[in-house]
Amino acid sequence: MVENSDLPSDLPFNWMECLKDEWLERLRRELNPAQYQFATSTEPVILGLAGPGSGKTRALVYRTAHLIMSGTSPQRILLLTFTNKAAEEMKGRLEKLLGFWPQELWAGTFHSIGARILRRHASHFDRNSNFTILDEEDSGQILKQLVQSRSLGEYERNFLIKRGLLGRVISQARNSEMSFRDVLAESYPYQMEFLELIESLAGAYARQKKESNAFDFDDLLLAWLELFQQQPAVCEYYRQRFDHVLVDEFQDTNIIQARLVDQFADSSSICVVGDDAQSIYAFRYANVHNILSFPEKYPHCLIVRMEQNYRSTPQILTLANYSIRCNRDQLQKELFSANPPGEKPWIVGARSAYQEAAFVAQRIRDLNREGVPLSGIAVLYRSGYLSAEVEFELVKRGFPYRTFGGVRFLQKAHIKDVLAYLKIIHNPFDESAWRRVATLQPGIGEASFNRLWAELKSNSDPLEAALSGLVAPSRGRPGWEALCSTMQALRAQADGGVAKLIAIINAGNYESILKKNYPDQYEERMRGIERLAMYGERFETLAHFLESLALEESLFADATDSETAGEFITLSTIHSAKGKEWDAVFVIGLNENHFPSCRGGDRDLPEERRLFYVAVTRARRYLYLSTYWENYRSYGTPSGGPSIFLRELPQDCYEAILLDEYD
């Protein structure tokens, strides 16, 4: 039992009764059997396998409350989460459940708890307790200064800083316990030339942080682990301090976080909750094997499967179960629901991405007329480039929407680049367009362009002045000449159609610029440009095309700024949709090489399937999965036909709809 000195003075008068039968009866009434077992178990190691919509947060909060109500002092509980939002939500629920906030409870993100511990032991790292925590922008500025202090060419500076290679490699190496060489070989094989430079800059970065009495976000975990490993007395103090360590979203832990949890083994009760089927953040260094191997690491752990889903209809869960069953390496579970039955999910076959988009917009209109609010509808996709046609269609029909997890199509850098070329042909006095395309060229910076533009705009036709050689920069001549060659070809074919003009831009030096500036996103960005060209085929003239986009761009801004209205459709990448739910969900672009992505091949297929599982389990009542048959080529990457995630589903778990037959 809790000693009186441990209890707040304003506890409810029936505290002792709650500790007895009333409290347990409340748990039985408010939790399902699996949640109740998870909340009340006294096993020293527990793995809560919690499927989507199964009340995972509820179960974890009730377990924390039960520990306190059963006599555990709050100061002997450590609750670890992944986001501040999750931490605050749990704190709020716990306070409401208990009727008071247990002040001494250690609850927060891994990073916040790491900072709390490091402030107590900063001297071990030659820091003072008032050390600064560098955010991503702060770290980026230090790395930028270090790069600028070296005698490097524009190519190296651009790659290391503008493209973020330096920061990504340093962070990936530290969070995955890999060498810089191994990180480059695995993730950036074409940038091995930077190995020695990155190693040198990483060392300088570490020294700069120490001199500045600062830690970055990665340090908050790495230094915490180092402290426990190199200072046994400190580690033992915290092992004895906490009787219970509870971890949320364990499937999202990286190697460092899993090892931090392991430090408390054998002295503290360890309780982790998560779902290997929802592990979708490998690109953030999450390691799904942390949860998959947990029963092997702790062979006597209690596994509690929370499989009752409170979100979706049984028909949606049937499809989700069939899909995730195709992953071989997993901890088995079967979602079920007591919700009223609904219609089967639709698998929709369209001729093209345009017909797919038209279907989405029309079906949204139908659902809205049937009483589904726009805020209860989401369109989800694997990658941002897949949303372009739907965005155009929603704008055309006047639907308000907001995008999450990416930049709006017309605001993406490569789209604005291509449009800038076209704007110059249409209006040679467009300074912004000239600035954009000129500074893309090697050797031409802002200062050079300012001098160049002063000469160009003084001519009656700036484009003719450039093409005739009357005006040229003193530096960056090869890039300027390549640009002029492209502009010459564009001017000659100005009436040849938008798609042809965009092909000319790519045939010039823009494709090589794109490949150099975005080596890891080159193919995706080229597919976006191809979509712009396909959209341009609808317009008879370049002027009509540019005017339409200008008007639509303003509509895009109006349509996405709907916070005051409160009613908008959600367009989101699936990664950004995790943890959310809607009445109706459309998952678009379910074609091979698009979803699943072609980037990781078979190696990444299990994670891609988990991403599909997350997408379909966002839906409460209506689920639409769409693909298109047009096997267009995306600069060497065919669309590949319907996704394997559709083809592997049994036909009795969905309704097949061909749009040519759909009224």
Side-chain angles (χ1 to χ4, degrees):
M1 303 300 291
V2 180
E3 297 296 329
N4 289 336
S5 60
D6 290 325
L7 300 179
S9 59
D10 59 346
L11 282 175
F13 70 90
N14 62 343
W15 170 263
M16 297 305 295
E17 291 84 333
C18 287
L19 281 176
K20 299 177 184 177
D21 295 339
E22 290 84 348
W23 172 249
L24 291 176
E25 181 57 35
R26 180 181 178 184
L27 294 187
R28 291 190 185 95
R29 187 172 63 252
E30 298 182 2
L31 301 176
N32 66 38
Q35 292 171 334
Y36 179 85
Q37 182 186 19
F38 177 82
T40 60
S41 173
T42 58
E43 294 296 322
V45 183
I46 303 170
L47 168 59
L49 270 183
S54 64
K56 167 185 64 66
T57 301
R58 180 182 183 84
L60 194 59
V61 168
Y62 271 77
R63 176 167 181 80
T64 307
H66 181 67
L67 292 173
I68 296 172
M69 298 292 274
S70 299
T72 300
S73 173
Q75 67 180 353
R76 301 189 69 81
I77 299 174
L78 174 61
L79 175 58
L80 295 165
T81 66
F82 270 81
T83 65
N84 289 318
K85 181 180 178 182
E88 292 305 313
E89 179 184 356
M90 287 192 184
K91 289 177 183 178
R93 289 196 191 189
L94 185 59
E95 182 174 9
K96 184 176 181 180
L97 184 59
L98 290 174
F100 67 93
W101 170 245
Q103 294 291 343
E104 296 172 317
L105 174 70
W106 280 41
T109 65
F110 273 90
H111 291 86
S112 68
I113 298 298
R116 184 172 181 175
I117 291 174
L118 291 176
R119 291 205 186 278
R120 296 182 172 195
H121 307 280
S123 60
H124 288 294
F125 300 94
D126 296 326
R127 264 77 159 186
N128 298 322
S129 60
N130 65 338
F131 60 76
T132 298
I133 298 175
L134 304 173
D135 61 20
E136 187 174 350
E137 184 176 347
D138 296 329
S139 298
Q141 284 299 317
I142 293 175
L143 293 174
K144 183 177 180 179
Q145 291 165 7
L146 290 172
V147 169
Q148 290 175 340
S149 69
R150 305 290 182 97
S151 298
L152 302 175
E154 183 179 354
Y155 172 73
E156 289 82 2
R157 289 197 303 273
N158 179 66
F159 234 99
L160 291 170
I161 297 302
K162 286 187 178 180
R163 298 299 306 126
L165 180 68
L166 177 59
R168 287 201 308 274
V169 171
I170 290 175
S171 185
Q172 185 173 341
R174 303 180 76 204
N175 282 285
S176 59
E177 296 189 328
M178 296 170 65
S179 68
F180 293 131
R181 178 181 294 278
D182 288 343
V183 169
L184 285 173
E186 180 178 297
S187 302
Y188 312 98
Y190 299 111
Q191 280 77 54
M192 285 297 292
E193 63 188 285
F194 292 109
L195 175 60
E196 292 185 8
L197 181 56
I198 288 175
E199 289 176 334
S200 174
L201 289 166
Y205 175 55
R207 291 190 293 273
Q208 179 70 47
K209 287 186 293 181
K210 183 178 290 188
E211 292 170 4
S212 302
N213 187 36
F215 286 117
D216 64 20
F217 261 61
D218 291 340
D219 290 325
L220 299 180
L221 303 183
L222 291 158
W224 175 9
L225 181 59
E226 182 182 331
L227 176 70
F228 276 18
Q229 290 177 333
Q230 297 186 2
Q231 302 293 330
V234 174
C235 182
E236 188 61 25
Y237 167 79
Y238 287 100
R239 282 164 55 88
Q240 296 303 320
R241 167 67 188 267
F242 297 112
D243 291 334
H244 297 274
V245 177
L246 298 90
V247 185
D248 188 25
E249 303 286 11
F250 192 69
Q251 78 279 351
D252 292 334
T253 53
N254 62 23
I255 290 175
I256 307 303
Q257 289 161 326
R259 291 190 177 177
L260 283 167
V261 174
D262 291 341
Q263 300 301 307
F264 295 94
D266 301 324
S267 63
S268 306
S269 166
I270 295 178
C271 175
V272 304
V273 63
D275 182 7
D276 60 291
Q278 296 186 79
S279 180
I280 59 173
Y281 294 116
F283 67 96
R284 294 180 186 167
Y285 322 124
N287 191 332
V288 68
H289 293 290
N290 290 342
I291 191 169
L292 291 175
S293 64
F294 193 85
E296 298 173 15
K297 184 186 294 184
Y298 300 100
H300 301 297
C301 79
L302 170 68
I303 300 178
V304 180
R305 288 177 167 81
M306 289 177 265
E307 300 170 306
Q308 182 170 357
N309 176 285
Y310 293 91
R311 175 187 300 154
S312 306
T313 64
Q315 287 73 17
I316 291 172
L317 297 183
T318 296
L319 185 145
N321 286 329
Y322 272 124
S323 177
I324 200 62
R325 209 174 287 152
C326 296
N327 270 5
R328 295 181 180 178
D329 193 10
Q330 63 173 302
L331 299 171
Q332 294 290 338
K333 64 180 175 307
E334 188 85 1
L335 298 179
F336 68 93
S337 175
N339 291 339
E343 66 178 30
K344 288 183 179 181
W346 293 15
I347 291 184
V348 179
R351 290 191 308 275
S352 66
Y354 293 109
Q355 191 181 38
E356 176 189 54
F359 163 76
V360 170
Q362 182 58 47
R363 190 67 189 135
I364 287 174
R365 186 176 297 281
D366 294 342
L367 288 169
N368 190 231
R369 287 172 175 169
E370 293 167 12
V372 179
L374 295 182
S375 59
I377 301 173
V379 182
L380 306 182
Y381 34 83
R382 172 63 178 85
S383 301
Y385 70 86
L386 294 170
S387 71
E389 291 81 8
V390 172
E391 289 196 56
F392 283 129
E393 197 67 34
L394 294 180
V395 166
K396 191 187 306 178
R397 299 189 185 217
F399 282 122
Y401 72 91
R402 289 179 64 195
T403 59
F404 297 86
V407 181
R408 297 198 310 272
F409 182 73
L410 293 178
Q411 292 297 323
K412 293 178 180 179
H414 54 296
I415 300 301
K416 292 179 77 69
D417 289 345
V418 171
L419 292 177
Y421 281 91
L422 300 177
K423 287 176 180 178
I424 292 172
I425 296 300
H426 179 62
N427 172 20
F429 283 92
D430 189 329
E431 178 183 353
S432 296
W434 273 107
R435 184 182 299 276
R436 189 172 190 96
V437 299
T439 55
L440 283 172
Q441 314 307 318
I444 301 178
E446 291 292 333
S448 296
F449 174 76
N450 289 336
R451 291 191 293 270
L452 193 64
W453 180 246
E455 296 184 52
L456 285 173
K457 69 179 182 180
S458 65
N459 287 271
S460 59
D461 185 346
L463 180 58
E464 178 59 32
L467 298 183
S468 66
L470 183 63
V471 177
S474 56
R475 297 179 58 187
R477 282 295 185 95
W480 178 255
E481 290 173 357
L483 170 61
C484 288
S485 177
T486 298
M487 300 308 299
Q488 181 75 57
L490 288 173
R491 189 172 69 168
Q493 297 291 329
D495 297 326
V498 173
K500 186 171 184 178
L501 294 177
I502 292 176
I504 291 171
I505 294 169
N506 287 325
N509 71 334
Y510 184 70
E511 186 172 354
S512 63
I513 290 172
L514 199 62
K515 190 176 294 186
K516 179 180 177 181
N517 290 345
Y518 304 98
D520 53 335
Q521 301 174 356
Y522 162 71
E523 290 185 357
E524 181 176 315
R525 289 176 183 253
M526 288 301 284
R527 286 197 289 269
I529 293 171
E530 182 179 61
R531 278 170 155 65
L532 182 69
M534 291 171 65
Y535 182 74
E537 290 177 348
R538 301 181 176 190
F539 299 90
E540 295 182 1
T541 66
L542 175 60
H544 187 196
F545 171 72
L546 292 174
E547 180 181 336
S548 174
L549 287 187
L551 292 173
E552 287 193 358
E553 191 163 9
S554 65
L555 285 172
F556 271 76
D558 293 337
T560 57
D561 186 18
S562 304
E563 292 185 83
T564 54
E567 269 291 297
F568 54 82
I569 300 160
T570 294
L571 269 62
S572 175
T573 61
I574 300 167
H575 286 100
S576 295
K578 188 173 180 291
K580 302 174 183 176
E581 59 185 69
W582 295 270
D583 289 325
V585 168
F586 297 80
V587 185
I588 64 172
L590 278 159
N591 283 54
E592 287 294 296
N593 298 325
H594 297 165
F595 190 14
S597 167
C598 62
R599 192 171 297 169
D602 292 340
R603 179 193 64 190
D604 291 343
L605 189 59
E607 174 143 344
E608 292 287 304
R609 187 176 285 108
R610 293 195 293 270
L611 194 61
F612 177 71
Y613 179 79
V614 167
V616 301
T617 54
R618 300 310 94 195
R620 288 191 287 254
R621 298 165 56 198
Y622 307 101
L623 176 63
Y624 306 97
L625 310 172
S626 58
T627 183
Y628 41 85
W629 309 110
E630 194 173 79
N631 191 19
Y632 70 90
R633 297 193 63 82
S634 298
Y635 294 92
T637 304
S639 66
S643 168
I644 186 175
F645 303 147
L646 301 181
R647 291 183 281 113
E648 66 193 7
L649 292 171
Q651 293 182 5
D652 61 355
C653 75
Y654 61 83
E655 190 78 30
I657 305 292
L658 294 179
L659 290 187
D660 286 339
E661 302 172 4
Y662 173 69
D663 185 6

